[in-house]
Amino acid sequence: MFVINCPHCGERDQSEFSCGGEAHIVRPKQPTELSDDEWAEYLFMRKNTKGVQFERWNHAHGCRKWFNMVRDTSNDKIHAVYKMGEKPPVI
Amino acid sequence: MKNKYSIFSLIKNAFSQHENWKQAWGNPEPKKEYEAVIVGGGGHGLATAYYLAKKHNMKNIAVLEKGWIGGGNTGRNTTIIRSNYLWDASAGLYDHALKIWENLSQELNYNIMFSQRGVMNLAHNLQDVRDLKRRTHANRLNGIDAVWLDTKQVKEFCPIINISQDIRYPVLGGTLQRRAGTARHDAVAWGYARGADAMGVDIIQNCEVKGIKRNGDQVEGLDTTKGFIKTKKIGVVAAGHSSVIANMAGLKLPLESKPLQALVSEPVKPIIDTVVMSNAVHAYVSQSDKGELVIGAGTDAYISYTQRGSHDVVEGTLKAILELYPIFSRMKMLRQWGGIVDICPDASPIISKTNIKGLYFNCGWGTGGFKATPGSGDLFAHTIANDEPHKLNAAFNLNRFVSGDLVDEHGAAAVAH
């Protein structure tokens, strides 16, 4: 458990948020062209990083907006928070 | 087996004040090369090595463990064993394990304290009732013992449960698997380690894998903190760290690693002689032989390798426990801990070859791997030795995420995740 600095609301308890997993997985532009392997890669395969991870969060019990976060999964330290559509910071 | 345990060896050693028991397993340095190397010295990894040596005659093998054996999830779970899963493939897998559990103490000559005290799964709403009834029917068609109990029968089986219909999530009934129960988790790791060691398996502790060397699509060996080890077959049984090892070989797995928590209370006299699980309110409880209540909580809903877990998750579980068992309201909790579980999208495990020759994965057990330990080891050993899955683990291949032939066990996983 930790405190997240929501880019819209400020600092709140993590229990107000829900995690959407790995960020920057691009939705296929032409789904009809995809092979089964490519679908599996998009839907299921994850880096599941131990260390610095880029991930999506939703302030589910607050503003209900999605945003991105950079967190170290080995110690839960948050390095950066940035809005959807913004360029990911270099960590 | 050297140093066989029996009533006679116990009496003999009593005369020397129990100071001359031999070590149950050795502490060897790694050799330069092995026929196969198992990464991960938990219950599943040690069982895999044991069955590779016993059933497939592979004696020149090693188990690498980055900490001490049984110090990961094997020593952190709530020791529940059952096989009441919904789908045919899962029923086959988990009941295979349960059948091995029933004779494991004798087979290993090591008391794993297997206790078939029954596992009861509670229903708290109409959908639970429908799902659990369906699951009992599916279980019985697969030859797994399962019965439906109404609220009164639940109370008779476990008298301390609060069956008042005025609570937030009243008990509407439950299922019972009488063959299910618990075992001493450490003893399972120790028993398999001793058995494997006796057949010549090298158990190497404090040895962390740092890299996997490949020649094209064939594995060649492992870089470890104790140097390079050459091998043509690597079986990875690294639980929450499976993705970390997979990344070393350039693979991605459909896993997310999350902290799962458990806690135990101060020890008290026997009060609950079975295991009660509740999916809807997310609480399960049993009592250890020492007298502690063993309580399982949920996972944190984000990837983390911190082995801690959040306070609000424990709080939610204890609220549910207190509503179901008001008698526990003044008990003190002694210890709380977290283990990192690797969760698959379909809540079923992966026991599979990969597209790299000689690299095998046994992972994705999520929140419920302990119950499968002997079966998982047996089937993974078969898969490694023959380079082909056994028919009982054929459905649990990595390719199911490409074909779409998933084994959805979210309902039977007993805790929602």
Side-chain angles (χ1 to χ4, degrees), chain B residues 93-382:
Chain B
L93 177 70
Y94 291 103
D95 211 49
H96 177 61
L98 183 48
K99 283 176 187 144
I100 303 177
W101 279 116
E102 288 176 327
N103 286 310
L104 195 58
S105 288
Q106 285 75 19
E107 185 186 338
L108 294 176
N109 179 231
Y110 202 97
N111 186 5
I112 56 155
M113 298 164 78
F114 181 50
S115 158
Q116 289 177 297
R117 59 184 66 186
V119 170
M120 191 158 65
N121 290 86
L122 298 180
H124 297 279
N125 54 53
L126 283 177
Q127 191 58 45
D128 274 358
V129 172
R130 291 186 198 108
D131 287 346
L132 286 177
K133 279 187 176 170
R134 179 192 176 200
R135 188 132 65 83
T136 40
H137 296 318
N139 288 160
R140 291 164 79 163
L141 287 171
N142 278 316
I144 293 167
D145 69 306
V147 286
W148 169 258
L149 306 179
D150 63 25
T151 309
K152 203 167 141 263
Q153 289 167 313
V154 166
K155 181 81 176 168
E156 276 164 17
F157 189 69
C158 183
I160 59 169
I161 288 187
N162 176 13
I163 56 163
S164 160
Q165 295 301 299
D166 294 332
I167 60 177
R168 177 66 183 85
Y169 296 102
V171 177
L172 301 183
T175 66
L176 173 62
Q177 185 182 19
R178 290 184 191 276
R179 282 165 65 231
T182 58
R184 173 79 201 278
H185 49 4
D186 300 315
V188 176
W190 298 336
Y192 273 122
R194 175 169 167 268
D197 179 87
M199 289 183 285
V201 174
D202 280 355
I203 296 165
I204 301 158
Q205 306 185 65
N206 297 310
C207 179
E208 188 176 352
V209 171
K210 292 289 185 190
I212 290 177
K213 197 180 163 206
R214 283 166 58 176
N215 182 8
D217 63 351
Q218 164 71 48
V219 295
E220 296 244 291
L222 300 134
D223 285 314
T224 76
T225 48
K226 294 196 174 188
F228 182 73
I229 299 172
K230 202 173 158 188
T231 184
K232 293 271 185 224
K233 288 191 175 197
I234 300 171
V236 183
V237 206
H241 283 71
S242 298
S243 298
V244 176
I245 306 276
N247 289 343
M248 293 175 189
L251 271 184
K252 267 207 265 184
L253 295 171
L255 298 175
E256 288 193 320
S257 296
K258 297 174 178 179
L260 176 68
Q261 290 179 84
L263 56 163
V264 294
S265 72
E266 59 189 331
V268 289
K269 290 196 171 174
I271 183 72
I272 179 166
D273 62 357
T274 185
V275 183
V276 185
M277 312 184 73
S278 175
N279 193 349
V281 298
H282 210 306
Y284 48 104
V285 64
S286 62
Q287 191 172 16
S288 73
D289 292 352
K290 281 189 283 184
E292 305 152 323
L293 295 179
V294 183
I295 294 170
T299 52
D300 284 356
Y302 50 87
I303 294 173
S304 180
Y305 288 80
T306 51
Q307 288 192 327
R308 285 198 297 265
S310 300
H311 184 70
D312 56 321
V313 174
V314 169
E315 206 175 13
T317 290
L318 289 178
K319 274 182 196 161
I321 292 276
L322 289 189
E323 193 167 64
L324 281 176
Y325 312 93
I327 191 175
F328 295 152
S329 66
R330 294 188 185 184
M331 288 199 62
K332 307 256 191 306
M333 292 298 141
L334 274 192
R335 288 179 289 126
Q336 168 275 348
W337 64 91
I340 305 304
V341 297
D342 45 332
I343 295 173
C344 251
D346 59 356
S348 283
I350 297 165
I351 312 172
S352 179
K353 295 162 67 169
T354 62
N355 54 17
I356 299 168
K357 276 190 203 131
L359 185 63
Y360 307 86
F361 271 88
N362 183 354
C363 58
W365 290 95
T367 57
F370 177 74
K371 66 174 80 71
T373 305
S376 154
D378 182 34
L379 299 171
F380 195 41
H382 181 101

